Amino acid sequence: MANEAPIPKKILLFGATGVIGKYILNALIEAKSSFEKIGIFTSPETVKSKADIVENLKTKGVDVVVGNVDSEEDVSKAFEDYDTIISALGRSVLLTQIPLLTLAARSPNIHTFYPSEYGTDIEYSPASATEKPHQMKLAVRKHIHENIDTDRLKITHLVTGPYSDLYIGKMVGAEEVGSFDVREKKAVLLGTGEERVSFTTMRDVGNLLVAALNTPFPSSSSSRILKVNSFTTTPRSILTEFEKQTNGKWEVSYTSLDKLKELEAKAWEEKSPIAAVYTLRRIWTQGGTLYEGRDNGKIGDPKMETLEEQVRKAVEIEVRGV
């Protein structure tokens, strides 16, 4: 029988200044009364290049731990002052989590670990095992399954699906992979436009993670996978909301699923830096974000942002420059 983990109180975040890390850190700061300590682990280079950001975080009560993520000594020393590790490391450095997990499992202080799992479900179906963008996350999960005592180090995989902020807007230079151009009132819809996709806003990723931190870990589990999201919609519904908020019809074209697959294959063949985007959007168009139910209710059902709010943000960014 697995032992129930203590509630996380001393949180150390890796990748805090990255794409999703910023939102996670903001949510932690907003909920700081729930925690005894919030810290970030960052490099000397980041402290120098993002000095204003780092100093602002300090004024908000965030501890800044400076070190080399590849140094066992630096990481082990950092772990001494915390009980929970949250990773928001980006796609290119996901394998860095393997030594972090190993060190966390050895640490007498660390009892909870959240790997950087935010995004598309890497174990949605048998086909997921061969998807190219999933391989590093799958390697991290394999390491957890085979090498980590999850009765002692509690693991939560927070699977959020795609970030709506990065989908509901203009895709510059690759419009064929789905795009909503507010200024030109032009949209490129994937598939037939009616395929359902479950999205999570980047702000809600942080809110959902905080909710998970504050929810007791089930005593019957050694690890948990939480499949959460903000809302489920279709490209056509997104377009309809844009037309509503911009007071007019848009020019619409489509990238069929077959065409998307062709573009995906070409992107990988040509070693495009955004090849993974083609694959992920193909997965979403095929229904790879849909479940019978979501797990928001298991962590208190926190209030989520809506499609209307996300479109409003996109319009403000494009039209008003906010």
Side-chain angles (χ1 to χ4, degrees):
M1 176 71 70
N3 296 318
E4 183 174 336
I7 295 292
K9 288 297 180 183
K10 299 177 181 179
I11 317 297
L12 182 62
L13 174 62
F14 286 77
T17 60
V19 172
I20 198 61
K22 293 180 291 188
Y23 289 88
I24 291 173
L25 181 56
N26 285 340
L28 289 169
I29 292 170
E30 289 177 5
K32 63 182 178 181
S33 61
S34 298
F35 309 109
E36 295 177 13
K37 187 175 188 176
I38 298 170
I40 66 169
F41 186 100
T42 193
S43 68
E45 293 78 13
T46 298
V47 170
K48 183 178 180 180
S49 65
K50 299 182 179 181
D52 291 345
I53 294 174
V54 171
E55 289 304 312
N56 183 50
L57 290 175
K58 289 179 179 178
T59 66
K60 295 179 179 179
V62 176
D63 290 333
V64 178
V65 182
V66 182
N68 181 352
V69 72
D70 295 317
S71 166
E72 181 174 332
E73 181 180 358
D74 288 357
V75 172
S76 295
K77 183 172 177 56
F79 283 1
E80 292 176 1
D81 295 324
Y82 297 89
D83 59 40
T84 297
I85 305 303
I86 298 172
S87 171
L89 294 174
R91 183 173 294 278
S92 64
V93 290
L94 287 171
L95 294 183
T96 304
Q97 295 176 109
I98 290 178
L100 291 182
L101 281 155
T102 299
L103 292 173
R106 293 178 191 166
S107 169
N109 305 305
I110 305 299
H111 58 64
T112 301
F113 199 111
Y114 281 67
S116 188
E117 277 276 354
Y118 330 105
T120 306
D121 186 355
I122 59 172
E123 293 184 344
Y124 185 85
S125 71
S128 300
T130 62
E131 299 289 7
K132 292 179 181 179
H134 295 352
Q135 296 310 304
M136 284 192 281
K137 286 186 180 181
L138 287 168
V140 173
R141 278 210 196 182
K142 184 174 187 289
H143 178 76
I144 292 170
H145 294 327
E146 296 180 356
N147 300 288
I148 301 299
D149 179 2
T150 53
D151 281 344
R152 199 203 68 76
L153 182 65
K154 299 297 186 182
I155 307 291
T156 296
H157 302 283
L158 192 73
V159 179
T160 67
Y163 307 147
S164 53
D165 310 57
L166 303 183
Y167 185 94
I168 299 176
K170 183 178 179 181
M171 176 62 79
V172 179
E175 290 81 1
E176 71 275 8
V177 80
S179 182
F180 299 90
D181 187 335
V182 175
R183 291 183 181 274
E184 297 295 327
K185 290 190 175 182
K186 291 182 179 180
V188 180
L189 307 187
L190 298 181
T192 66
E194 302 297 341
E195 289 83 359
R196 296 167 65 241
V197 183
S198 291
F199 292 99
T200 305
T201 75
M202 291 195 285
R203 180 180 175 183
D204 282 346
V205 171
N207 292 335
L208 287 159
L209 193 145
V210 167
L213 287 170
N214 287 323
T215 301
F217 205 101
S219 59
S220 60
S221 301
S222 56
S223 63
R224 62 180 175 176
I225 299 173
L226 296 172
K227 298 171 181 177
V228 294
N229 60 66
S230 299
F231 54 80
T232 299
T233 188
T234 66
R236 170 60 64 181
S237 294
I238 295 171
L239 173 61
T240 298
E241 186 60 37
F242 268 114
E243 290 178 333
K244 175 183 176 182
Q245 294 195 26
T246 58
N247 300 312
K249 288 293 183 181
W250 285 30
E251 180 182 335
V252 184
S253 59
Y254 295 83
T255 300
S256 69
L257 182 56
D258 286 342
K259 181 62 176 178
L260 184 57
K261 290 177 180 178
E262 290 178 15
L263 293 168
E264 175 191 2
K266 182 180 178 183
W268 285 105
E269 182 181 346
E270 296 179 350
K271 298 182 178 174
S272 166
I274 62 166
V277 174
Y278 287 86
T279 298
L280 292 171
R281 294 198 173 196
R282 185 259 301 159
I283 292 170
W284 308 341
T285 304
Q286 289 178 314
T289 67
L290 303 175
Y291 306 98
E292 290 184 5
R294 65 183 187 177
D295 292 331
N296 297 41
K298 294 180 180 178
I299 52 175
D301 208 12
K303 187 179 186 303
M304 297 286 95
E305 291 188 280
T306 65
L307 170 60
E308 180 182 359
E309 290 169 324
Q310 280 286 278
V311 170
R312 184 179 299 117
K313 286 181 183 180
V315 171
E316 289 176 347
I317 289 169
E318 289 296 319
V319 176
R320 303 183 183 94
V322 177

